[in-house]
Amino acid sequence: AGTYKDGENVTIVATPDDGYQFDGWYSNGAKISSTQKYSFTATENTSISAVFSIAPTEAPDNDTNEDLQGGMD
């Protein structure tokens, strides 16, 4: 958030909280950048929003190829 002069260079940075990932910067419903650090020149009133989503969790690796053998004596 801020107020900038016409022609001023602006850099904004989005930092997701733990458990979230950054999806992009959006303006008027359109994605304008996928990078967390976004720079632009202020030329008019605009609204830019950082959009986040829940980060996917990694499933445990169940791809084991161990043969389990058992028997009775």
Side-chain angles (χ1 to χ4, degrees):
T3 302
Y4 305 95
K5 295 179 181 174
D6 186 32
E8 187 174 355
N9 291 324
V10 180
T11 298
I12 51 180
V13 180
T15 304
D17 287 339
D18 289 341
Y20 288 84
Q21 65 186 13
F22 176 71
D23 289 334
W25 290 105
Y26 286 78
S27 181
N28 297 319
K31 188 176 202 175
I32 56 174
S33 179
S34 296
T35 60
Q36 287 181 246
K37 185 176 183 180
Y38 177 63
S39 297
F40 63 98
T41 301
T43 58
E44 61 187 355
N45 287 337
T46 189
S47 177
I48 299 174
S49 299
V51 175
F52 301 89
S53 63
I54 296 173
T57 56
E58 291 186 26
D61 185 7
N62 292 329
D63 291 337
T64 57
N65 292 324
E66 296 179 22
D67 290 328
L68 301 177
Q69 296 180 1
M72 297 180 70
D73 290 330

